[in-house]
PDB file of all heavy atoms in Angstrom:
ATOM      1  N   PRO A 268     146.869  32.604  30.568  1.00 87.00           N
ATOM      2  CA  PRO A 268     145.793  31.620  30.378  1.00 87.00           C
ATOM      3  C   PRO A 268     144.475  32.328  30.064  1.00 87.00           C
ATOM      4  O   PRO A 268     144.277  33.470  30.485  1.00 87.00           O
ATOM      5  CB  PRO A 268     145.712  30.917  31.743  1.00 87.00           C
ATOM      6  CG  PRO A 268     146.428  31.794  32.697  1.00 87.00           C
ATOM      7  CD  PRO A 268     147.389  32.648  31.924  1.00 87.00           C
ATOM      8  N   GLY A 269     143.564  31.688  29.346  1.00 84.00           N
ATOM      9  CA  GLY A 269     142.300  32.303  28.941  1.00 84.00           C
ATOM     10  C   GLY A 269     141.381  32.527  30.128  1.00 84.00           C
ATOM     11  O   GLY A 269     141.608  32.014  31.220  1.00 84.00           O
ATOM     12  N   LEU A 270     140.299  33.322  29.871  1.00 83.00           N
ATOM     13  CA  LEU A 270     139.320  33.574  30.927  1.00 83.00           C
ATOM     14  C   LEU A 270     138.474  32.325  31.151  1.00 83.00           C
ATOM     15  O   LEU A 270     138.236  31.556  30.229  1.00 83.00           O
ATOM     16  CB  LEU A 270     138.397  34.723  30.516  1.00 83.00           C
ATOM     17  CG  LEU A 270     138.994  36.123  30.580  1.00 83.00           C
ATOM     18  CD1 LEU A 270     137.949  37.123  30.118  1.00 83.00           C
ATOM     19  CD2 LEU A 270     139.442  36.448  32.006  1.00 83.00           C
ATOM     20  N   ASP A 271     137.987  32.167  32.380  1.00 79.00           N
ATOM     21  CA  ASP A 271     137.144  31.022  32.697  1.00 79.00           C
ATOM     22  C   ASP A 271     135.693  31.383  32.399  1.00 79.00           C
ATOM     23  O   ASP A 271     135.091  32.206  33.078  1.00 79.00           O
ATOM     24  CB  ASP A 271     137.315  30.689  34.183  1.00 79.00           C
ATOM     25  CG  ASP A 271     136.472  29.503  34.577  1.00 79.00           C
ATOM     26  OD1 ASP A 271     135.862  28.898  33.681  1.00 79.00           O
ATOM     27  OD2 ASP A 271     136.436  29.181  35.778  1.00 79.00           O
ATOM     28  N   PHE A 272     135.135  30.787  31.364  1.00 78.00           N
ATOM     29  CA  PHE A 272     133.749  31.089  31.005  1.00 78.00           C
ATOM     30  C   PHE A 272     132.785  30.066  31.607  1.00 78.00           C
ATOM     31  O   PHE A 272     131.926  29.553  30.929  1.00 78.00           O
ATOM     32  CB  PHE A 272     133.568  31.091  29.489  1.00 78.00           C
ATOM     33  CG  PHE A 272     134.103  32.336  28.845  1.00 78.00           C
ATOM     34  CD1 PHE A 272     135.214  32.284  28.034  1.00 78.00           C
ATOM     35  CD2 PHE A 272     133.491  33.552  29.062  1.00 78.00           C
ATOM     36  CE1 PHE A 272     135.718  33.424  27.437  1.00 78.00           C
ATOM     37  CE2 PHE A 272     133.983  34.707  28.465  1.00 78.00           C
ATOM     38  CZ  PHE A 272     135.094  34.645  27.658  1.00 78.00           C
ATOM     39  N   SER A 273     132.970  29.744  32.880  1.00 77.00           N
ATOM     40  CA  SER A 273     132.122  28.694  33.431  1.00 77.00           C
ATOM     41  C   SER A 273     130.673  29.205  33.522  1.00 77.00           C
ATOM     42  O   SER A 273     130.418  30.363  33.837  1.00 77.00           O
ATOM     43  CB  SER A 273     132.619  28.256  34.797  1.00 77.00           C
ATOM     44  OG  SER A 273     132.715  29.376  35.624  1.00 77.00           O
ATOM     45  N   ILE A 274     129.746  28.323  33.245  1.00 79.00           N
ATOM     46  CA  ILE A 274     128.330  28.695  33.198  1.00 79.00           C
ATOM     47  C   ILE A 274     127.669  28.326  34.529  1.00 79.00           C
ATOM     48  O   ILE A 274     127.922  27.249  35.062  1.00 79.00           O
ATOM     49  CB  ILE A 274     127.646  27.953  32.034  1.00 79.00           C
ATOM     50  CG1 ILE A 274     128.253  28.440  30.728  1.00 79.00           C
ATOM     51  CG2 ILE A 274     126.142  28.163  32.041  1.00 79.00           C
ATOM     52  CD1 ILE A 274     127.846  27.627  29.530  1.00 79.00           C
ATOM     53  N   GLY A 275     126.835  29.224  35.050  1.00 80.00           N
ATOM     54  CA  GLY A 275     126.172  28.939  36.316  1.00 80.00           C
ATOM     55  C   GLY A 275     125.080  27.893  36.144  1.00 80.00           C
ATOM     56  O   GLY A 275     124.686  27.577  35.030  1.00 80.00           O
ATOM     57  N   HIS A 276     124.623  27.328  37.246  1.00 81.00           N
ATOM     58  CA  HIS A 276     123.497  26.411  37.135  1.00 81.00           C
ATOM     59  C   HIS A 276     122.640  26.480  38.387  1.00 81.00           C
ATOM     60  O   HIS A 276     122.977  27.138  39.349  1.00 81.00           O
ATOM     61  CB  HIS A 276     123.956  24.972  36.856  1.00 81.00           C
ATOM     62  CG  HIS A 276     125.169  24.565  37.621  1.00 81.00           C
ATOM     63  ND1 HIS A 276     125.942  23.502  37.279  1.00 81.00           N
ATOM     64  CD2 HIS A 276     125.760  25.099  38.690  1.00 81.00           C
ATOM     65  CE1 HIS A 276     126.940  23.409  38.118  1.00 81.00           C
ATOM     66  NE2 HIS A 276     126.850  24.357  38.980  1.00 81.00           N
ATOM     67  N   ARG A 277     121.515  25.810  38.341  1.00 86.00           N
ATOM     68  CA  ARG A 277     120.563  25.932  39.435  1.00 86.00           C
ATOM     69  C   ARG A 277     121.055  25.242  40.690  1.00 86.00           C
ATOM     70  O   ARG A 277     121.686  24.190  40.614  1.00 86.00           O
ATOM     71  CB  ARG A 277     119.228  25.330  39.010  1.00 86.00           C
ATOM     72  CG  ARG A 277     118.464  26.331  38.173  1.00 86.00           C
ATOM     73  CD  ARG A 277     117.223  25.794  37.594  1.00 86.00           C
ATOM     74  NE  ARG A 277     116.034  25.868  38.422  1.00 86.00           N
ATOM     75  CZ  ARG A 277     115.509  26.985  38.890  1.00 86.00           C
ATOM     76  NH1 ARG A 277     116.103  28.118  38.688  1.00 86.00           N
ATOM     77  NH2 ARG A 277     114.393  26.956  39.571  1.00 86.00           N
ATOM     78  N   ASN A 278     120.732  25.869  41.814  1.00 91.00           N
ATOM     79  CA  ASN A 278     121.012  25.272  43.104  1.00 91.00           C
ATOM     80  C   ASN A 278     120.254  23.929  43.171  1.00 91.00           C
ATOM     81  O   ASN A 278     119.109  23.849  42.738  1.00 91.00           O
ATOM     82  CB  ASN A 278     120.500  26.264  44.155  1.00 91.00           C
ATOM     83  CG  ASN A 278     120.810  25.841  45.561  1.00 91.00           C
ATOM     84  OD1 ASN A 278     120.368  24.776  46.003  1.00 91.00           O
ATOM     85  ND2 ASN A 278     121.548  26.663  46.267  1.00 91.00           N
ATOM     86  N   PRO A 279     120.886  22.875  43.727  1.00 94.00           N
ATOM     87  CA  PRO A 279     120.210  21.564  43.747  1.00 94.00           C
ATOM     88  C   PRO A 279     118.859  21.613  44.468  1.00 94.00           C
ATOM     89  O   PRO A 279     117.963  20.833  44.162  1.00 94.00           O
ATOM     90  CB  PRO A 279     121.189  20.659  44.485  1.00 94.00           C
ATOM     91  CG  PRO A 279     122.164  21.576  45.147  1.00 94.00           C
ATOM     92  CD  PRO A 279     122.217  22.810  44.314  1.00 94.00           C
ATOM     93  N   LEU A 280     118.714  22.569  45.396  1.00 95.00           N
ATOM     94  CA  LEU A 280     117.442  22.679  46.115  1.00 95.00           C
ATOM     95  C   LEU A 280     116.336  23.157  45.169  1.00 95.00           C
ATOM     96  O   LEU A 280     115.237  22.596  45.132  1.00 95.00           O
ATOM     97  CB  LEU A 280     117.614  23.671  47.278  1.00 95.00           C
ATOM     98  CG  LEU A 280     116.430  23.826  48.215  1.00 95.00           C
ATOM     99  CD1 LEU A 280     116.049  22.488  48.830  1.00 95.00           C
ATOM    100  CD2 LEU A 280     116.752  24.831  49.311  1.00 95.00           C
ATOM    101  N   LEU A 281     116.651  24.190  44.364  1.00 94.00           N
ATOM    102  CA  LEU A 281     115.640  24.704  43.433  1.00 94.00           C
ATOM    103  C   LEU A 281     115.347  23.690  42.339  1.00 94.00           C
ATOM    104  O   LEU A 281     114.232  23.607  41.826  1.00 94.00           O
ATOM    105  CB  LEU A 281     116.120  26.024  42.822  1.00 94.00           C
ATOM    106  CG  LEU A 281     116.214  27.171  43.829  1.00 94.00           C
ATOM    107  CD1 LEU A 281     116.657  28.450  43.145  1.00 94.00           C
ATOM    108  CD2 LEU A 281     114.869  27.397  44.508  1.00 94.00           C
ATOM    109  N   LYS A 282     116.372  22.914  41.981  1.00 95.00           N
ATOM    110  CA  LYS A 282     116.161  21.865  40.990  1.00 95.00           C
ATOM    111  C   LYS A 282     115.171  20.832  41.547  1.00 95.00           C
ATOM    112  O   LYS A 282     114.284  20.356  40.846  1.00 95.00           O
ATOM    113  CB  LYS A 282     117.504  21.195  40.679  1.00 95.00           C
ATOM    114  CG  LYS A 282     117.536  20.557  39.333  1.00 95.00           C
ATOM    115  CD  LYS A 282     118.916  20.033  39.033  1.00 95.00           C
ATOM    116  CE  LYS A 282     118.887  18.859  38.098  1.00 95.00           C
ATOM    117  NZ  LYS A 282     117.712  18.059  38.036  1.00 95.00           N
ATOM    118  N   THR A 283     115.313  20.536  42.832  1.00 97.00           N
ATOM    119  CA  THR A 283     114.403  19.577  43.466  1.00 97.00           C
ATOM    120  C   THR A 283     112.982  20.150  43.512  1.00 97.00           C
ATOM    121  O   THR A 283     112.009  19.427  43.279  1.00 97.00           O
ATOM    122  CB  THR A 283     114.905  19.243  44.890  1.00 97.00           C
ATOM    123  OG1 THR A 283     116.276  18.876  44.797  1.00 97.00           O
ATOM    124  CG2 THR A 283     114.121  18.106  45.502  1.00 97.00           C
ATOM    125  N   VAL A 284     112.871  21.458  43.805  1.00 96.00           N
ATOM    126  CA  VAL A 284     111.549  22.110  43.797  1.00 96.00           C
ATOM    127  C   VAL A 284     110.889  21.913  42.427  1.00 96.00           C
ATOM    128  O   VAL A 284     109.729  21.506  42.324  1.00 96.00           O
ATOM    129  CB  VAL A 284     111.676  23.629  44.110  1.00 96.00           C
ATOM    130  CG1 VAL A 284     110.369  24.359  43.835  1.00 96.00           C
ATOM    131  CG2 VAL A 284     112.110  23.839  45.553  1.00 96.00           C
ATOM    132  N   ASP A 285     111.667  22.181  41.366  1.00 96.00           N
ATOM    133  CA  ASP A 285     111.117  22.030  40.005  1.00 96.00           C
ATOM    134  C   ASP A 285     110.712  20.579  39.744  1.00 96.00           C
ATOM    135  O   ASP A 285     109.658  20.309  39.161  1.00 96.00           O
ATOM    136  CB  ASP A 285     112.176  22.413  38.955  1.00 96.00           C
ATOM    137  CG  ASP A 285     112.413  23.911  38.930  1.00 96.00           C
ATOM    138  OD1 ASP A 285     111.611  24.640  39.528  1.00 96.00           O
ATOM    139  OD2 ASP A 285     113.403  24.345  38.311  1.00 96.00           O
ATOM    140  N   ASP A 286     111.569  19.647  40.164  1.00 97.00           N
ATOM    141  CA  ASP A 286     111.277  18.233  39.916  1.00 97.00           C
ATOM    142  C   ASP A 286     109.969  17.823  40.593  1.00 97.00           C
ATOM    143  O   ASP A 286     109.117  17.164  40.002  1.00 97.00           O
ATOM    144  CB  ASP A 286     112.417  17.337  40.444  1.00 97.00           C
ATOM    145  CG  ASP A 286     113.678  17.485  39.599  1.00 97.00           C
ATOM    146  OD1 ASP A 286     113.582  18.060  38.493  1.00 97.00           O
ATOM    147  OD2 ASP A 286     114.756  17.038  40.042  1.00 97.00           O
ATOM    148  N   ILE A 287     109.815  18.249  41.864  1.00 97.00           N
ATOM    149  CA  ILE A 287     108.597  17.886  42.607  1.00 97.00           C
ATOM    150  C   ILE A 287     107.365  18.515  41.937  1.00 97.00           C
ATOM    151  O   ILE A 287     106.353  17.843  41.699  1.00 97.00           O
ATOM    152  CB  ILE A 287     108.704  18.349  44.083  1.00 97.00           C
ATOM    153  CG1 ILE A 287     109.840  17.600  44.790  1.00 97.00           C
ATOM    154  CG2 ILE A 287     107.381  18.133  44.812  1.00 97.00           C
ATOM    155  CD1 ILE A 287     110.119  18.070  46.205  1.00 97.00           C
ATOM    156  N   ALA A 288     107.487  19.811  41.607  1.00 97.00           N
ATOM    157  CA  ALA A 288     106.346  20.497  40.976  1.00 97.00           C
ATOM    158  C   ALA A 288     105.950  19.779  39.689  1.00 97.00           C
ATOM    159  O   ALA A 288     104.761  19.583  39.417  1.00 97.00           O
ATOM    160  CB  ALA A 288     106.699  21.955  40.694  1.00 97.00           C
ATOM    161  N   ASN A 289     106.947  19.351  38.910  1.00 97.00           N
ATOM    162  CA  ASN A 289     106.634  18.695  37.636  1.00 97.00           C
ATOM    163  C   ASN A 289     105.931  17.357  37.823  1.00 97.00           C
ATOM    164  O   ASN A 289     105.041  17.008  37.055  1.00 97.00           O
ATOM    165  CB  ASN A 289     107.905  18.504  36.804  1.00 97.00           C
ATOM    166  CG  ASN A 289     108.298  19.803  36.137  1.00 97.00           C
ATOM    167  OD1 ASN A 289     107.438  20.633  35.855  1.00 97.00           O
ATOM    168  ND2 ASN A 289     109.585  20.003  35.913  1.00 97.00           N
ATOM    169  N   ILE A 290     106.352  16.617  38.846  1.00 98.00           N
ATOM    170  CA  ILE A 290     105.707  15.310  39.078  1.00 98.00           C
ATOM    171  C   ILE A 290     104.209  15.518  39.314  1.00 98.00           C
ATOM    172  O   ILE A 290     103.369  14.825  38.742  1.00 98.00           O
ATOM    173  CB  ILE A 290     106.354  14.594  40.293  1.00 98.00           C
ATOM    174  CG1 ILE A 290     107.795  14.210  39.959  1.00 98.00           C
ATOM    175  CG2 ILE A 290     105.530  13.358  40.687  1.00 98.00           C
ATOM    176  CD1 ILE A 290     108.598  13.706  41.145  1.00 98.00           C
ATOM    177  N   PHE A 291     103.880  16.524  40.148  1.00 98.00           N
ATOM    178  CA  PHE A 291     102.459  16.737  40.459  1.00 98.00           C
ATOM    179  C   PHE A 291     101.715  17.459  39.330  1.00 98.00           C
ATOM    180  O   PHE A 291     100.536  17.215  39.107  1.00 98.00           O
ATOM    181  CB  PHE A 291     102.311  17.461  41.803  1.00 98.00           C
ATOM    182  CG  PHE A 291     102.624  16.540  42.963  1.00 98.00           C
ATOM    183  CD1 PHE A 291     103.843  16.601  43.617  1.00 98.00           C
ATOM    184  CD2 PHE A 291     101.712  15.575  43.353  1.00 98.00           C
ATOM    185  CE1 PHE A 291     104.138  15.730  44.657  1.00 98.00           C
ATOM    186  CE2 PHE A 291     101.995  14.695  44.395  1.00 98.00           C
ATOM    187  CZ  PHE A 291     103.216  14.781  45.051  1.00 98.00           C
ATOM    188  N   LYS A 292     102.446  18.321  38.614  1.00 97.00           N
ATOM    189  CA  LYS A 292     101.817  18.977  37.466  1.00 97.00           C
ATOM    190  C   LYS A 292     101.358  17.920  36.461  1.00 97.00           C
ATOM    191  O   LYS A 292     100.272  17.987  35.894  1.00 97.00           O
ATOM    192  CB  LYS A 292     102.832  19.910  36.806  1.00 97.00           C
ATOM    193  CG  LYS A 292     102.209  21.169  36.224  1.00 97.00           C
ATOM    194  CD  LYS A 292     103.189  21.974  35.418  1.00 97.00           C
ATOM    195  CE  LYS A 292     103.904  23.004  36.247  1.00 97.00           C
ATOM    196  NZ  LYS A 292     104.991  23.662  35.495  1.00 97.00           N
TER     197      LYS A 292
END
Side-chain angles (χ1 to χ4, degrees):
L270 285 179
D271 180 6
F272 283 112
S273 55
I274 295 170
H276 40 198
R277 279 174 87 60
N278 184 299
L280 185 58
L281 293 182
K282 205 175 152 335
T283 309
V284 169
D285 288 347
D286 290 347
I287 296 175
N289 282 332
I290 293 171
F291 287 102
K292 214 188 269 172

